[in-house]
């Protein structure tokens, strides 16, 4: 054996090939079927067409769901980014006892109260607040769930920005609010953009919360609409569903690619569970 | 301690919106579930308006509920197979196979991460299409190879959702282990290469001791997440005959299909306590690491 690294390279290619095939195979369908003239469950391509996309745009339910998804996620992004920004600024710049423990406990709590354990009390809470079958209920519930992680990542980011500029401005007689908006925000815009994009991808993709909280089809976001399309009785319209799924997925992929290009993978762990 | 940049009033004002949202929509439901679990509240009917307090009656019922035990068993197998063995094992393997191969690693990571970030409804449908009995890609391939077509969701329901969840969730473990491997000083392995140490010895004596602490973090986190996953519902709805009914799906069925919110909440409380135990374990672990 001349070169152990070359040998190990060959071995890893041989082992990696089937694993990669396993990961890629189900996904190929998503990128092929929407453009296929005769879409089927089998990955096949018999000529290029955009007809499946045209049918998505002719489907009223699909378009309304797109609008609903947009309303929900943009609201969640606005709400979470603003609130987390303020709070993370305090957590980063104001010394008080137990702030790190508090933050840590909040993040852990968001993992504890999730999925299985959370849906019943979250439903009852929304029921009592009169928010069942209202977009506002979905927006607030998603925001509360994502907030601790957003806060945590933002605080981490803010900690890496030196305090000196703000301190200098304070000495010069600016008010704390002026310091925040004029000096701190421009410095931290990168972290804020990352958080906004992650929150967008998370709320755009979420299925369970709107599935549990919403009752009428006209209020469904895309996630629930797609589910009703493929679980409805009768023959599902494969071409339409695949095109719709692709349109729904692209913003998420685009968001992650952008984050990855600009900021690397380091932000992933925290928010995607 | 450095002087604060803000007055007390400003601090409170800036904290209130975030903390209020967290308190009302996260902490409050987490505590409320304890109370709902002790009532016979229903979604419709007389007990929807005026539920009675029944104390631990629900919990006594849970203890003799065969669906609960079924769901618990399915969930344990699911977590064991898809998270502990599958995601951690495959994630570590992928990290090792792409270790010190920068370009290859970024390609493999992109593919694995894609499976992780595509919205759950879409991945569910991708797998339904992929595994379809008559027209699914996998069965088409099998029949080309002269093998029989398999009805995956009926013949092997649990292994199917376990495999699905490995596919879905390996990214996190791979990223974590890849990052862990980066912390090993390259000189260790270069020296080992020069001496001609076997791959297994390299793993046992150099790599494993260096990534041990990351392994536990990974295991606890993916266990916590997998335990709460609801996505398999989109694939199988918990069937056939409850063979893929995870605890999350059983809670959903009890509360929202059979409208028994109180009883569903009592099962949810048990799930919450298990989550809590896992989280505490993780907390004590990461604090020990820091100290």
């Amino acid at each position: 054996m001349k070169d152990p690294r070359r040998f190990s390279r060959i071995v890893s290619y041989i082992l990696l090939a089937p694993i990669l095939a396993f990961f890629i195979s189900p996904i190929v369908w998503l990128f092929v079927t929407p453009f296929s003239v005769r879409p089927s469950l089998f990955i096949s391509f018999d000529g290029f067409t955009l007809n499946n996309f045209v049918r998505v745009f002719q489907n009223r339910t699909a378009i309304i769901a797109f609008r609903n998804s947009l309303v929900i996620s943009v609201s969640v992004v606005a709400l979470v980014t603003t609130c987390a920004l303020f709070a993370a600024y305090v957590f980063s710049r104001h010394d008080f006892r137990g702030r790190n423990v508090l933050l840590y406990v909040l993040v852990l709590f968001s993992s504890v109260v999730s999925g299985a354990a959370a849906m019943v009390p979250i439903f009852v809470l929304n029921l009592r607040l009169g928010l069942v079958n209202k977009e506002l209920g979905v927006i607030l519930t998603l925001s509360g769930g994502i907030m601790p992680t957003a806060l945590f990542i933002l605080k981490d980011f803010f900690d890496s920005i030196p305090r000196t500029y703000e301190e200098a401005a304070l000495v010069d007689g600016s008010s704390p609010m002026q310091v925040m908006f004029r000096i701190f925000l421009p410095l931290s815009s990168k972290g804020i953009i990352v958080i906004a994009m992650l929150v967008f991808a998370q709320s755009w993709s979420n299925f369970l919360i709107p599935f549990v909280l919403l009752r009428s089809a006209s209020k469904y976001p895309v996630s629930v609409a797609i589910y009703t399309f493929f679980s409805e009785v009768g023959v599902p319209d494969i071409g339409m569903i695949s095109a719709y799924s692709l349109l729904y997925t692209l913003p998420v992929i685009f968001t992650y690619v952008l984050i990855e290009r600009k900021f690397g993978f380091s932000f992933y762990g925290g928010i995607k569970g | 301690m450095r002087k604060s940049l803000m007055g007390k009033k400003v601090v409170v004002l800036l904290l209130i919106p975030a903390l209020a949202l967290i308190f009302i929509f996260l902490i409050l439901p987490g505590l409320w579930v304890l109370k709902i679990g002790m009532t016979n509240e229903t979604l419709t009917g007389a007990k929807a308006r005026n539920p009675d307090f029944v104390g631990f009656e629900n919990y006594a019922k849970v203890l003799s509920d065969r669906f609960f035990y079924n769901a618990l068993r399915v969930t344990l197998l699911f977590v064991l197979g898809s998270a502990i063995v599958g995601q951690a094992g495959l994630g570590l393997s992928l990290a090792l196979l792409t270790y010190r191969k920068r370009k290859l690693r970024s390609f493999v990571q992109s593919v694995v991460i894609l499976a992780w970030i595509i919205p759950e409804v879409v991945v569910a449908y991708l797998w339904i299409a992929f595994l379809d009995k008559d027209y699914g890609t996998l069965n088409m391939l099998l029949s080309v190879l002269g093998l029989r077509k398999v009805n995956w969701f009926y013949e092997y329901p649990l292994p199917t959702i376990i495999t699905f969840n490995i596919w879905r969730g390996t990214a996190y473990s791979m990223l974590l282990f890849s990052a862990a491997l980066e912390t090993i000083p390259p000189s260790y392995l270069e020296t080992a290469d020069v001496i001609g140490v076997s791959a297994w010895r390299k793993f046992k004596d150099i790599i494993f001791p260096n990534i041990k602490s990351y392994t536990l973090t990974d295991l606890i986190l993916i266990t916590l997440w997998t335990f709460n996953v609801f996505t398999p519902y989109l694939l199988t709805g918990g069937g056939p005959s409850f063979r893929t009914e995870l605890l999350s799906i059983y809670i959903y069925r009890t509360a929202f299909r059979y409208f028994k919110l109180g009883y569903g909440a009592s099962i949810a409380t048990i799930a919450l306590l298990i989550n809590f135990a896992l989280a505490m374990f993780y907390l004590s672990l990461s604090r020990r690491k820091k100290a």
Side-chain angles (χ1 to χ4, degrees):
Chain A
M1 193 164 44
K2 265 189 298 192
D3 184 355
R5 287 193 65 172
R6 189 157 150 219
F7 176 71
S8 92
R9 191 172 286 266
I10 294 167
V11 172
S12 44
Y13 282 134
I14 295 169
L15 291 173
L16 273 173
I19 303 177
L20 278 179
F22 166 65
F23 274 99
I24 293 173
S25 314
I27 299 176
V28 175
W29 188 86
L30 180 63
F31 292 94
V32 171
T33 312
F35 304 100
S36 176
V37 173
R38 268 191 308 267
S40 73
L41 292 175
F42 177 62
I43 300 169
S44 64
F45 193 74
D46 346 85
F48 179 87
T49 177
L50 287 176
N51 190 31
N52 295 318
F53 292 96
V54 173
R55 289 227 308 293
V56 173
F57 289 105
Q58 287 167 345
N59 187 313
R60 242 179 77 80
T61 318
I63 293 306
I64 291 174
F66 237 102
R67 191 200 62 101
N68 294 340
S69 276
L70 213 58
V71 169
I72 290 172
S73 5
V74 169
S75 312
V76 174
V77 168
L79 198 59
V80 172
T81 312
T82 318
C83 297
L85 167 71
F86 290 149
Y89 184 66
V90 171
F91 273 95
S92 176
R93 296 311 200 235
H94 184 77
D95 296 304
F96 58 91
R97 258 153 61 98
R99 65 181 173 164
N100 286 328
V101 176
L102 174 64
L103 202 52
Y104 220 74
V105 168
L106 289 182
V107 174
L108 272 179
F109 209 87
S110 69
S111 283
V112 170
V113 186
S114 76
M119 57 188 158
V120 179
I122 276 175
F123 177 81
V124 174
L125 173 76
N126 279 283
L127 193 65
R128 295 293 148 80
L129 293 175
L131 291 175
V132 165
N133 205 20
K134 296 215 169 84
E135 279 162 346
L136 184 63
V138 176
I139 292 166
L140 293 175
T141 304
L142 284 172
S143 299
I146 302 176
M147 190 73 74
T149 328
L151 186 54
F152 186 77
I153 299 177
L154 267 184
K155 188 241 169 202
D156 225 35
F157 184 82
F158 291 173
D159 284 348
S160 68
I161 299 171
R163 284 184 182 201
T164 30
Y165 300 109
E166 297 148 76
E167 281 165 351
L170 275 181
V171 171
D172 281 349
S174 309
S175 75
M177 276 303 172
Q178 279 174 324
V179 173
M180 181 162 181
F181 283 102
R182 298 245 176 91
I183 296 169
F184 185 74
L185 279 187
L187 282 174
S188 55
S189 53
K190 185 175 135 180
I192 297 167
I193 292 169
V194 173
I195 281 301
M197 294 199 294
L198 283 173
V199 171
F200 173 79
Q202 290 285 293
S203 43
W204 182 260
S205 307
N206 189 285
F207 169 79
L208 187 58
I209 301 290
F211 183 59
V212 166
L213 291 183
L214 298 176
R215 288 282 165 269
S216 44
S218 62
K219 301 225 161 118
Y220 288 160
V222 182
S223 55
V224 183
I226 290 180
Y227 174 70
T228 58
F229 284 157
F230 75 68
S231 64
E232 255 166 21
V233 256
V235 183
D237 183 342
I238 295 169
M240 204 282 276
I241 297 178
S242 63
Y244 195 38
S245 298
L246 185 61
L247 288 174
Y248 172 56
T249 306
L250 284 178
V252 178
I253 295 178
F254 181 71
T255 305
Y256 277 96
V257 168
L258 215 64
I259 296 173
E260 200 260 314
R261 279 280 144 81
K262 291 206 132 156
F263 314 104
F265 285 122
S266 53
F267 284 101
Y268 280 98
I271 199 153
K272 187 81 176 65
Chain B
M1 192 181 267
R2 301 177 75 161
K3 202 182 160 298
S4 174
L5 298 171
M6 290 160 280
K8 266 220 167 86
K9 245 191 210 157
V10 179
V11 165
V12 173
L13 270 177
L14 292 180
L15 279 178
I16 281 179
L19 293 186
L21 267 171
I22 295 175
F23 181 78
I24 299 172
F25 288 92
L26 192 67
I27 297 180
L28 191 64
L31 300 174
W32 204 349
V33 70
L34 304 173
K35 197 202 152 209
I36 308 165
M38 293 193 184
T39 67
N40 59 3
E41 179 159 355
T42 53
L43 200 53
T44 54
K47 295 299 174 208
R49 298 243 167 137
N50 304 302
D52 308 313
F53 186 79
V54 295
F56 287 94
E57 204 177 278
N58 287 333
Y59 294 94
K61 242 194 283 174
V62 171
L63 288 178
S64 59
D65 178 348
R66 71 188 179 88
F67 286 112
F68 171 73
Y69 288 110
N70 173 64
L72 201 60
R73 192 186 62 88
V74 170
T75 307
L76 283 178
L77 290 171
F78 181 70
V79 170
L80 193 73
S82 72
I84 295 179
V85 177
Q87 290 177 14
L90 193 58
L92 178 60
S93 311
L94 284 171
L96 287 171
L97 287 172
T98 57
Y99 180 45
R100 294 198 285 177
K101 304 177 184 75
R102 200 163 284 279
K103 271 196 192 137
L104 182 67
R105 182 179 58 199
S106 84
F107 174 69
V108 174
Q109 279 187 349
S110 311
V111 173
V112 178
I113 286 174
L114 200 55
W116 193 36
I117 60 169
I118 296 177
E120 56 186 328
V121 190
V122 176
V123 292
Y125 194 55
L126 294 183
W127 273 70
I128 288 173
F130 186 60
L131 296 180
D132 186 77
K133 178 168 58 91
D134 300 312
Y135 306 104
T137 303
L138 188 59
N139 278 337
M140 289 297 202
L141 289 175
L142 287 180
S143 65
V144 168
L145 294 171
L147 298 166
R148 125 192 125 83
K149 289 183 173 179
V150 179
N151 193 344
W152 299 100
F153 290 115
Y154 280 86
E155 291 175 53
Y156 308 102
L158 189 54
T160 297
I161 62 162
I162 286 175
T163 311
F164 163 77
N165 202 55
I166 296 173
W167 181 87
R168 171 75 168 159
T170 295
Y172 180 79
S173 301
M174 177 181 183
L175 288 173
L176 188 98
F177 284 122
S178 289
L181 290 176
E182 288 296 305
T183 65
I184 302 173
S187 61
Y188 288 14
L189 288 158
E190 279 156 20
T191 315
D193 283 343
V194 171
I195 309 171
V197 173
S198 74
W200 167 245
R201 281 286 304 277
K202 264 193 278 183
F203 179 73
K204 195 174 73 100
D205 295 337
I206 302 169
I207 296 174
F208 186 67
N210 275 286
I211 60 168
K212 214 165 55 182
S213 63
Y214 294 87
T215 311
L216 208 53
T217 304
D218 181 61
L219 287 179
I220 297 174
L221 284 181
I222 59 178
T223 300
L224 188 63
W225 294 333
T226 307
F227 185 78
N228 288 291
V229 143
F230 186 70
T231 325
Y233 176 84
L234 299 168
L235 290 168
T236 65
S241 55
F242 312 107
R243 279 158 73 194
T244 59
E245 188 168 79
L246 299 165
L247 214 47
S248 59
I249 299 175
Y250 181 46
I251 294 169
Y252 176 79
R253 176 163 71 93
T254 309
F256 300 107
R257 284 280 162 271
Y258 296 158
F259 308 137
K260 290 189 264 185
L261 285 176
Y263 191 58
S266 68
I267 307 163
T269 304
I270 296 171
L272 193 94
L273 290 175
I274 297 172
N275 286 350
F276 188 69
L278 284 166
M280 283 300 110
F281 192 26
Y282 177 67
L283 192 66
S284 71
L285 193 80
S286 55
R287 295 190 107 187
R288 195 151 27 110
K289 216 191 285 175
K290 263 186 217 149

